[in-house]
Amino acid sequence: MTPDYSFEAAARAQGYLRIAGVDEVGRGPLAGPVTAAAVVLDPARIPEGLNDSKKLTKRRREALYEQILALADVSVAHASVEEIDAHNILRASHIAMVRAIQGLATPPDYVLIDGNMIPRGLSLPAETIVKGDARSVSISAASIMAKIRRDCVMLSLAQQHPGYGWDTNMGYGSKSHMSALQNLGVTPHHRRSFRPIHNILWQE
């Protein structure tokens, strides 16, 4: 499966001109925000090699990140750990998506969303695409932008809280991260509503 412009072309055939692809990253980690990106590509200047960020090497992601920034309208937004704990991770990811869409320099008139749910609060015409980051180039671009920007957040947090390995595990529950939680405790950046963190706090 290789992403293409067919979903965007179908929307343009219906008269829509600014089609945003939206994706999020960071639903699974035990720490850090959930991050979403919205990208409106110029159909005449689509970077080559766009794909699901998970299928790209770090070097290739970074190269595409720079191209997307230069050629597209991009907005990246986060939902905080506090919002994740207050709502739930799904709702928080949708909050981040809506923020990303609202942050575009020029509002889109149609939105392609990775997954199978349209975020609550989105008033624009929208379409969900399961595995959209591997099917739509706009969503692929959004997955790359969200991945790199969230990684940057986790690299910064890793410097503030050494020992948890966030510079490599990005907040996911790796063996070293779980060991650090037992030895160093829970930080303000951990998601207290997630079971492993909740269980540690309950034991204290």
Side-chain angles (χ1 to χ4, degrees), residues 63-131:
L64 284 167
Y65 174 87
E66 296 298 334
Q67 292 180 51
I68 296 163
L69 271 183
L71 299 174
D73 185 0
V74 176
S75 172
V76 179
H78 310 280
S80 68
V81 167
E82 292 79 11
E83 289 173 312
I84 293 169
D85 289 339
H87 300 285
N88 61 52
I89 186 58
L90 176 61
R91 175 69 180 131
S93 68
H94 286 175
I95 289 170
M97 284 182 171
V98 172
R99 283 177 181 158
I101 295 164
Q102 292 173 340
L104 288 164
T106 303
D109 52 14
Y110 196 81
V111 183
L112 301 173
I113 299 169
D114 183 54
N116 60 5
M117 291 182 65
I118 294 175
R120 192 191 324 161
L122 181 62
S123 58
L124 295 166
E127 173 182 357
T128 59
I129 306 172
V130 175
K131 299 188 185 301

Side-chain angles (χ1 to χ4, degrees), residues 16 24 63 72-73 76 106 109 119 131 138 145 174 182 191 201:
Y16 297 108
E24 52 73 28
D73 185 0
V76 179
T106 303
D109 52 14
K131 299 188 185 301
S138 296
M145 303 308 292
S174 66
Q182 294 294 337
R191 302 172 179 180
L201 292 170

